[in-house]
Amino acid sequence: MLYLVGLGLADETDITVKGLNIVKQARRVYLEAYTSILMVDKDKLEAYYDRPIIVADREMVESNDDEILAGADIEDVAFLVVGDPFGATTHSDLVLRARQLHIPTQIIHNASVMAAVGATGLQLYNFGQTISMVFFTDTWRPSSFYDRVKENRQIGLHTLMLLDIKVKEQSEENLARGRKIFEPPRFMTAGQCAAQMLEIEADRGEGAYDPGSLAVAVARLGAPDQQMAAGTLKQISVTDLGAPLHSLVLLGRAHDLEHSRRRGGQGASIISARVDPPECLSPVDWTFINTSPSLCQISPKRYSAEHRDALNFFMHWSRCNVRIHTIIQEVDDAAPNNLMSGDSEWAMRENFRKLYPDAMEHLPHLRFIEPLNPNTEKFAYPAEPYVFICDVVVRSEDYIDISKEMAKGITQAEWDAMAELRDAIAKDEGIGWYAVHNGDLELAKQEREAWDEEDGVEESNGVAHRTELSTLTFNQEEQKMEGKFSRGLNDRIARLQVDNAGLEQGDQGRSQRKQSYPGLLSSSPASDPSGSEIAVYKRMVIYFLERNTEYKWCHFLVTRIDFTDPDNLTDRIQARDSSRLGRVTVDGISYEYLGTGSTSLPKSSNLLPAKPLTVTYDSQYSNFTFAAGPVEITASFLSSVLPTDLCRTSVPLSYLTTSVRSTDAASHDIQFYSDVNAAWVASENNVTIQWELYEGSNLINASGHVAGDPDPSLIYSWFVADCICWGISLTYDRFFYLQQAYEFAEGMDVPLWGNFTYSSSPMDAQNFSFDSGFSGNVRYQYFMQHSLQGVVDSDYRPFATREPVFAYSHDFGSVSSASVRYSIGSVQQPIVRYLSREGVVPLQPWWTQCYGDIHQMIDFHFNDFEQTQVLAARFENQLKADVDDYYGANMAMVFSNSTPSISPPWTNTSQGYNGTDKYGKRYIFDSANGYGFLDPQNFTGIAVPDVQEAEAYYSIVALSARQIMGAYTLAIPPSSGASSNSSSNATDPLMFQKEISSNGNTNTVDVMFPAMPFFLYANPDLLRYIMEPLYQNQEGGFYPNEYSMHDLGSHYPNATGHVEGNDEYMPVEESGNMILMSYAYYKFTSNTSYLLAHYPKLQQFASYLLDFTLTPGNQLSTDDFAGRLANQTNLAIKGIVGIAAMAEIARICSADDPSVAASYASTAAAYYTQWETYALDPARTHTLLAYQWRSSYSLLYNIYPALLLDLPVIPASLYALQSAFYPSVSQAFGVPLDSRHSYTKSDESMWAAATCEPATRRLFVNGLASWLNVTSTDKAFSDLFETVGDGGYP
């Protein structure tokens, strides 16, 4: 027997009595010592347990587990784990391996940090996802935790962070050299965790948290000397809680009970106990200041310098009597982090680095401050249309010799660099010093008098100091004082002083600068020698709450960048996202049809945007046309949907064909340019990217070459990869056989293994060239020469550092038409991590057995374009014909890519409109409300008029087809991975799906279920391929629950199941789905052997439905975002329909015993009768959202499978009832999902539509098509959207 024994948290005595007895009788005892540690050494454990202990490090547990498992089938082996045995996933893997060897296992649970964290005073049910924080390195700063934290914070949940420990770890050098030399143990502290979190927030800038976010640090939880401290992340980042182990909790919303526990002295101590907060804040108010602000007056006397760091978060509070607008504590803590979003700050800085690399080299700390208007009384101040560019802050006393401060704060090279920036972007502006004063003088004078009375302060220095401050004025004599700064504040205006004031005694360089940048920025514009006025910036005042007055100086540049003007914004800020650029040059003028790369180049009459003309799509193509002077550009994207061709379907590449044709019947000089940037493969902007260029399968070296007479058959491919490689050189194996921890991992939905490929060919071009390098240089090279240099940049770097791009150029000479082709995609090999009877194994993509290696796959795909077009047209034509056939001869034929007809009259009015649709139905419409089109007699909704339902339906299914296929991958199954009763064979792939735009689960059953109709239509075998991994896992004994699993893995591409059975709890939902999908596959294929193979598991799922479906209790349905709800009407009917389907399955699989099928059928009928009594409104007008909730309703989409599969359990009267009801609650873009919200689901709307009479069906179909047509978004066809307003995403 293998025993996994939890030891608890602190010392040898925390073991349970049961665990201690097992340890004492075990033949061998192992102590796992790398996921966590106890706070006592091994000797104490051995003495207390009276057994020798073998320390099991990472290598033993994960690579040499045979030693642990040897003999465990005939003798007792104890494996000791700090905390609880299932606190780390590696222990689950050990249990799986034991089961594969038929070794019995037993788990002895114990306390873990997951439960003990309740000692902080925070309630466990208010915790969300737990994350792990690893030590950052110079080349690796993973931020995947950030998204989980953001999700928790958005719904008010606390986040527990488990911190990294490094025990018996090798350095990168020793690891690379194979030397068994280990580094000293390291244990992450709560302070290090907080500091790393703030780094990532500064990079990401999405506001998941900030330096003032509240957290609780925990040290040595469960030990006698355990310690806790509550405060802000910034406070905790500089807090030392002593010896390990540490954890950190980032707070969500605090419950009243949690507040009361802390006030009662339980839970975490407050950091302010060691550094007293201002007296106007109680400890609890300070700790929870984000949720319970104190209305107080802050006395600068009581705010000493030692509080400055601790209270940064407090300084933005607007309700105290002193009005705070902006604080510059250090430059990194200045306004950009608070006033300008992180993405904007990042984009501005990177754009400057691209545009002005020489200047930026001398200004490494440049920051952008978007100032506020202090004259605005509201807390949410509007931003001013200026940007401060700030580099160095120096601190000085009252009287300042500027020449000395210049020497300390800035070098001549830095000053000259600032001047270069000024001349480039703000020619008429000034460079100067900015005085940061300690307060508003008018308020300060009043408050100082109050402080004197209150505090009885008589110190002469203090009085003199205050008197001096209260009488500061702008003074011409002070201005003339050599070497002194004119410290005036007039009308609450901070003065800006350019470098000529007080710098007459500088060196020659300073003298020259004086000649170049004269003038004082004051309340009246000054003039430079040329007579130009120097603009004055009057509005920014920065107050400091400090008892001892201190001035800070920042040299800066003021430039007018108006953030309220989108044109100016795009001129200066280049998007951070993955980008692709396309240009066509016609007679020397370049027209940009794809991307916005021209914004990083000088404005020129020879560089223009192409003018968009039309956009069309079908099930295969997206086509965009543009006017470009005397030619028309067509950019045609082809992502072929070929559901019966598994080899072509498995290729992860798409085509872009760009063509031009003359519109004036003349020939023109034509060149094409296209590039992609490195952000396609990087989840973080500081991770080094590597790239290579191949000609066929031959690597091109750094010098490259330019093909003077290009071979049209050659295919060139850029390979771009995320390099988290510890110095390993980039080789062919580097891309596809990584042995790093980032295989099968994602960051921000970007795969962290494999590579991105971008391919093209000379085709019919007279000249073909390529290039890689800094985007500004490569794009400018093409702009000037209309060709590229043929160089492969060897300077591997992050995408945020001199943005690398990878480009192709085609020159066709003088022609009337021309065309180029590109292929693009992200390639992972291996593709999925899969739990099978062989253990956890990597699976290769299906295309490898079709085409070979990646070069062969790219070659086939690129040259297969014409055949792919033929096959794509075949599917597209069949889809159109089938839609036409369904709607009948009286309906209009379906046309895609057609010229839009004249808009209906109701689209051109903001007033109410009355009309008659093509069916003679009168309607009223008012765009000012959210009701859509209404029947004037009873005010029920009617379908959007003047739209053919057939065309509307085609637009929906054509767009859906590509999105469905795009979410799936095909993989080669493991050699013996199938379960003993599997219906698959060696020639069948396994199919995997990612739950996109959600939590990233693998093969989520209720996400597969809505795609079932497409699979049944396009290729029913696809439904079998996607269900097969789920069956293999559950029939292989890897899932302990009696009902169907929710998904095959917590995050794609890890299809490792849930051996603990702790997947998302949707038992009725998923059990019903698996039965219905399995029967649907049989219904459309007559594959009896499939049902027979899985009949025992289907019976198990049906048994659960028999017990729980009629009253499913407080369960989740597929609409889990709406939350749990007891006895959901729609969920219960799914289970009832599932039982009816099980009756049909039993007729086949238990043919020798008809009573089995009869029992299922009679139960389904009886359940339905009872269901009606609970589910229908007493007036019998519609079904309710939940049993007997009279004021509610919902879409009853789960009756659609009964109609689809000819199951007799649902009477026609129920279909008619719902069909008549839906128009009474419809909105502009459809019927809401249920009465709790105004949003709806597109897939569930279409299922409901399929159960309705034609008029109601049109209401659904035309409403969804209208939403697709009239709403704007940069996202894909969503399954969730608002039915009112702008139809946005909830």
Side-chain angles (χ1 to χ4, degrees), residues 221-240:
L221 187 60
D225 64 338
Q226 78 175 20
Q227 189 173 359
M228 305 179 198
T232 67
L233 282 176
K234 183 154 187 178
Q235 290 173 298
I236 289 174
S237 69
V238 294
T239 298
D240 182 10

PDB file of all heavy atoms in Angstrom, residues 221-240:
ATOM      1  N   LEU A 221       2.552  30.105   9.101  1.00  0.00           N
ATOM      2  CA  LEU A 221       1.172  29.838   9.471  1.00  0.00           C
ATOM      3  C   LEU A 221       1.081  28.521  10.229  1.00  0.00           C
ATOM      4  O   LEU A 221       1.588  27.487   9.790  1.00  0.00           O
ATOM      5  CB  LEU A 221       0.302  29.777   8.206  1.00  0.00           C
ATOM      6  CG  LEU A 221      -1.199  29.674   8.400  1.00  0.00           C
ATOM      7  CD1 LEU A 221      -1.734  30.864   9.167  1.00  0.00           C
ATOM      8  CD2 LEU A 221      -1.882  29.566   7.038  1.00  0.00           C
ATOM      9  N   GLY A 222       0.413  28.550  11.369  1.00  0.00           N
ATOM     10  CA  GLY A 222       0.228  27.360  12.180  1.00  0.00           C
ATOM     11  C   GLY A 222       1.296  27.124  13.218  1.00  0.00           C
ATOM     12  O   GLY A 222       1.156  26.250  14.079  1.00  0.00           O
ATOM     13  N   ALA A 223       2.387  27.894  13.152  1.00  0.00           N
ATOM     14  CA  ALA A 223       3.474  27.748  14.116  1.00  0.00           C
ATOM     15  C   ALA A 223       3.225  28.658  15.313  1.00  0.00           C
ATOM     16  O   ALA A 223       2.469  29.631  15.217  1.00  0.00           O
ATOM     17  CB  ALA A 223       4.810  28.085  13.463  1.00  0.00           C
ATOM     18  N   PRO A 224       3.888  28.380  16.451  1.00  0.00           N
ATOM     19  CA  PRO A 224       3.697  29.246  17.623  1.00  0.00           C
ATOM     20  C   PRO A 224       4.079  30.694  17.365  1.00  0.00           C
ATOM     21  O   PRO A 224       3.522  31.602  17.966  1.00  0.00           O
ATOM     22  CB  PRO A 224       4.604  28.594  18.681  1.00  0.00           C
ATOM     23  CG  PRO A 224       4.731  27.174  18.243  1.00  0.00           C
ATOM     24  CD  PRO A 224       4.710  27.198  16.755  1.00  0.00           C
ATOM     25  N   ASP A 225       5.047  30.919  16.460  1.00  0.00           N
ATOM     26  CA  ASP A 225       5.485  32.284  16.185  1.00  0.00           C
ATOM     27  C   ASP A 225       4.926  32.807  14.869  1.00  0.00           C
ATOM     28  O   ASP A 225       5.536  33.660  14.221  1.00  0.00           O
ATOM     29  CB  ASP A 225       7.012  32.353  16.165  1.00  0.00           C
ATOM     30  CG  ASP A 225       7.607  31.524  15.023  1.00  0.00           C
ATOM     31  OD1 ASP A 225       6.921  30.590  14.538  1.00  0.00           O
ATOM     32  OD2 ASP A 225       8.753  31.804  14.614  1.00  0.00           O
ATOM     33  N   GLN A 226       3.765  32.280  14.474  1.00  0.00           N
ATOM     34  CA  GLN A 226       3.177  32.773  13.229  1.00  0.00           C
ATOM     35  C   GLN A 226       2.969  34.284  13.327  1.00  0.00           C
ATOM     36  O   GLN A 226       2.708  34.831  14.403  1.00  0.00           O
ATOM     37  CB  GLN A 226       1.855  32.074  12.940  1.00  0.00           C
ATOM     38  CG  GLN A 226       0.668  32.562  13.740  1.00  0.00           C
ATOM     39  CD  GLN A 226      -0.626  31.890  13.298  1.00  0.00           C
ATOM     40  OE1 GLN A 226      -0.612  30.832  12.682  1.00  0.00           O
ATOM     41  NE2 GLN A 226      -1.752  32.506  13.610  1.00  0.00           N
ATOM     42  N   GLN A 227       3.090  34.955  12.173  1.00  0.00           N
ATOM     43  CA  GLN A 227       2.964  36.401  12.154  1.00  0.00           C
ATOM     44  C   GLN A 227       2.176  36.815  10.926  1.00  0.00           C
ATOM     45  O   GLN A 227       2.309  36.223   9.848  1.00  0.00           O
ATOM     46  CB  GLN A 227       4.347  37.067  12.136  1.00  0.00           C
ATOM     47  CG  GLN A 227       4.302  38.574  12.330  1.00  0.00           C
ATOM     48  CD  GLN A 227       5.688  39.169  12.473  1.00  0.00           C
ATOM     49  OE1 GLN A 227       6.679  38.444  12.450  1.00  0.00           O
ATOM     50  NE2 GLN A 227       5.776  40.467  12.620  1.00  0.00           N
ATOM     51  N   MET A 228       1.345  37.827  11.102  1.00  0.00           N
ATOM     52  CA  MET A 228       0.554  38.344   9.996  1.00  0.00           C
ATOM     53  C   MET A 228       0.622  39.858  10.016  1.00  0.00           C
ATOM     54  O   MET A 228       0.787  40.457  11.083  1.00  0.00           O
ATOM     55  CB  MET A 228      -0.912  37.908  10.106  1.00  0.00           C
ATOM     56  CG  MET A 228      -1.113  36.419  10.208  1.00  0.00           C
ATOM     57  SD  MET A 228      -2.857  36.014  10.373  1.00  0.00           S
ATOM     58  CE  MET A 228      -2.711  34.342  11.022  1.00  0.00           C
ATOM     59  N   ALA A 229       0.499  40.457   8.868  1.00  0.00           N
ATOM     60  CA  ALA A 229       0.494  41.910   8.776  1.00  0.00           C
ATOM     61  C   ALA A 229      -0.406  42.315   7.627  1.00  0.00           C
ATOM     62  O   ALA A 229      -0.349  41.733   6.543  1.00  0.00           O
ATOM     63  CB  ALA A 229       1.890  42.455   8.567  1.00  0.00           C
ATOM     64  N   ALA A 230      -1.253  43.301   7.865  1.00  0.00           N
ATOM     65  CA  ALA A 230      -2.154  43.804   6.835  1.00  0.00           C
ATOM     66  C   ALA A 230      -1.713  45.194   6.432  1.00  0.00           C
ATOM     67  O   ALA A 230      -1.254  45.985   7.257  1.00  0.00           O
ATOM     68  CB  ALA A 230      -3.587  43.845   7.356  1.00  0.00           C
ATOM     69  N   GLY A 231      -1.840  45.486   5.166  1.00  0.00           N
ATOM     70  CA  GLY A 231      -1.485  46.810   4.665  1.00  0.00           C
ATOM     71  C   GLY A 231      -1.615  46.837   3.164  1.00  0.00           C
ATOM     72  O   GLY A 231      -2.207  45.955   2.555  1.00  0.00           O
ATOM     73  N   THR A 232      -1.059  47.841   2.548  1.00  0.00           N
ATOM     74  CA  THR A 232      -1.087  47.938   1.094  1.00  0.00           C
ATOM     75  C   THR A 232       0.030  47.101   0.507  1.00  0.00           C
ATOM     76  O   THR A 232       0.995  46.747   1.186  1.00  0.00           O
ATOM     77  CB  THR A 232      -0.913  49.392   0.649  1.00  0.00           C
ATOM     78  OG1 THR A 232       0.400  49.807   0.998  1.00  0.00           O
ATOM     79  CG2 THR A 232      -1.918  50.299   1.331  1.00  0.00           C
ATOM     80  N   LEU A 233      -0.094  46.813  -0.787  1.00  0.00           N
ATOM     81  CA  LEU A 233       0.971  46.063  -1.455  1.00  0.00           C
ATOM     82  C   LEU A 233       2.297  46.800  -1.350  1.00  0.00           C
ATOM     83  O   LEU A 233       3.362  46.184  -1.186  1.00  0.00           O
ATOM     84  CB  LEU A 233       0.613  45.830  -2.925  1.00  0.00           C
ATOM     85  CG  LEU A 233      -0.396  44.729  -3.200  1.00  0.00           C
ATOM     86  CD1 LEU A 233      -0.719  44.684  -4.689  1.00  0.00           C
ATOM     87  CD2 LEU A 233       0.114  43.386  -2.731  1.00  0.00           C
ATOM     88  N   LYS A 234       2.271  48.130  -1.445  1.00  0.00           N
ATOM     89  CA  LYS A 234       3.516  48.883  -1.359  1.00  0.00           C
ATOM     90  C   LYS A 234       4.118  48.759   0.031  1.00  0.00           C
ATOM     91  O   LYS A 234       5.332  48.614   0.184  1.00  0.00           O
ATOM     92  CB  LYS A 234       3.271  50.349  -1.711  1.00  0.00           C
ATOM     93  CG  LYS A 234       4.566  51.149  -1.699  1.00  0.00           C
ATOM     94  CD  LYS A 234       4.495  52.342  -2.583  1.00  0.00           C
ATOM     95  CE  LYS A 234       5.868  53.010  -2.670  1.00  0.00           C
ATOM     96  NZ  LYS A 234       5.865  54.150  -3.563  1.00  0.00           N
ATOM     97  N   GLN A 235       3.257  48.791   1.067  1.00  0.00           N
ATOM     98  CA  GLN A 235       3.770  48.616   2.421  1.00  0.00           C
ATOM     99  C   GLN A 235       4.377  47.232   2.600  1.00  0.00           C
ATOM    100  O   GLN A 235       5.482  47.078   3.134  1.00  0.00           O
ATOM    101  CB  GLN A 235       2.628  48.807   3.425  1.00  0.00           C
ATOM    102  CG  GLN A 235       2.128  50.236   3.542  1.00  0.00           C
ATOM    103  CD  GLN A 235       0.896  50.286   4.424  1.00  0.00           C
ATOM    104  OE1 GLN A 235      -0.120  49.686   4.105  1.00  0.00           O
ATOM    105  NE2 GLN A 235       1.005  50.977   5.530  1.00  0.00           N
ATOM    106  N   ILE A 236       3.640  46.235   2.165  1.00  0.00           N
ATOM    107  CA  ILE A 236       4.104  44.865   2.360  1.00  0.00           C
ATOM    108  C   ILE A 236       5.381  44.599   1.586  1.00  0.00           C
ATOM    109  O   ILE A 236       6.224  43.811   2.007  1.00  0.00           O
ATOM    110  CB  ILE A 236       2.979  43.888   1.975  1.00  0.00           C
ATOM    111  CG1 ILE A 236       1.872  43.968   3.024  1.00  0.00           C
ATOM    112  CG2 ILE A 236       3.487  42.456   1.860  1.00  0.00           C
ATOM    113  CD1 ILE A 236       0.644  43.162   2.698  1.00  0.00           C
ATOM    114  N   SER A 237       5.558  45.293   0.452  1.00  0.00           N
ATOM    115  CA  SER A 237       6.766  45.062  -0.350  1.00  0.00           C
ATOM    116  C   SER A 237       8.039  45.442   0.393  1.00  0.00           C
ATOM    117  O   SER A 237       9.128  45.008   0.018  1.00  0.00           O
ATOM    118  CB  SER A 237       6.682  45.847  -1.673  1.00  0.00           C
ATOM    119  OG  SER A 237       6.782  47.242  -1.442  1.00  0.00           O
ATOM    120  N   VAL A 238       7.922  46.249   1.454  1.00  0.00           N
ATOM    121  CA  VAL A 238       9.102  46.631   2.232  1.00  0.00           C
ATOM    122  C   VAL A 238       9.002  46.127   3.670  1.00  0.00           C
ATOM    123  O   VAL A 238       9.670  46.622   4.567  1.00  0.00           O
ATOM    124  CB  VAL A 238       9.295  48.164   2.219  1.00  0.00           C
ATOM    125  CG1 VAL A 238       9.617  48.653   0.823  1.00  0.00           C
ATOM    126  CG2 VAL A 238       8.045  48.882   2.756  1.00  0.00           C
ATOM    127  N   THR A 239       8.141  45.137   3.892  1.00  0.00           N
ATOM    128  CA  THR A 239       7.926  44.598   5.232  1.00  0.00           C
ATOM    129  C   THR A 239       8.640  43.258   5.376  1.00  0.00           C
ATOM    130  O   THR A 239       8.558  42.404   4.493  1.00  0.00           O
ATOM    131  CB  THR A 239       6.415  44.411   5.493  1.00  0.00           C
ATOM    132  OG1 THR A 239       5.775  45.675   5.417  1.00  0.00           O
ATOM    133  CG2 THR A 239       6.181  43.814   6.870  1.00  0.00           C
ATOM    134  N   ASP A 240       9.324  43.081   6.485  1.00  0.00           N
ATOM    135  CA  ASP A 240      10.051  41.845   6.764  1.00  0.00           C
ATOM    136  C   ASP A 240       9.318  41.085   7.864  1.00  0.00           C
ATOM    137  O   ASP A 240       9.228  41.542   9.005  1.00  0.00           O
ATOM    138  CB  ASP A 240      11.481  42.166   7.205  1.00  0.00           C
ATOM    139  CG  ASP A 240      12.293  40.906   7.472  1.00  0.00           C
ATOM    140  OD1 ASP A 240      11.818  39.792   7.135  1.00  0.00           O
ATOM    141  OD2 ASP A 240      13.400  41.023   8.024  1.00  0.00           O
TER     142      ASP A 240
END
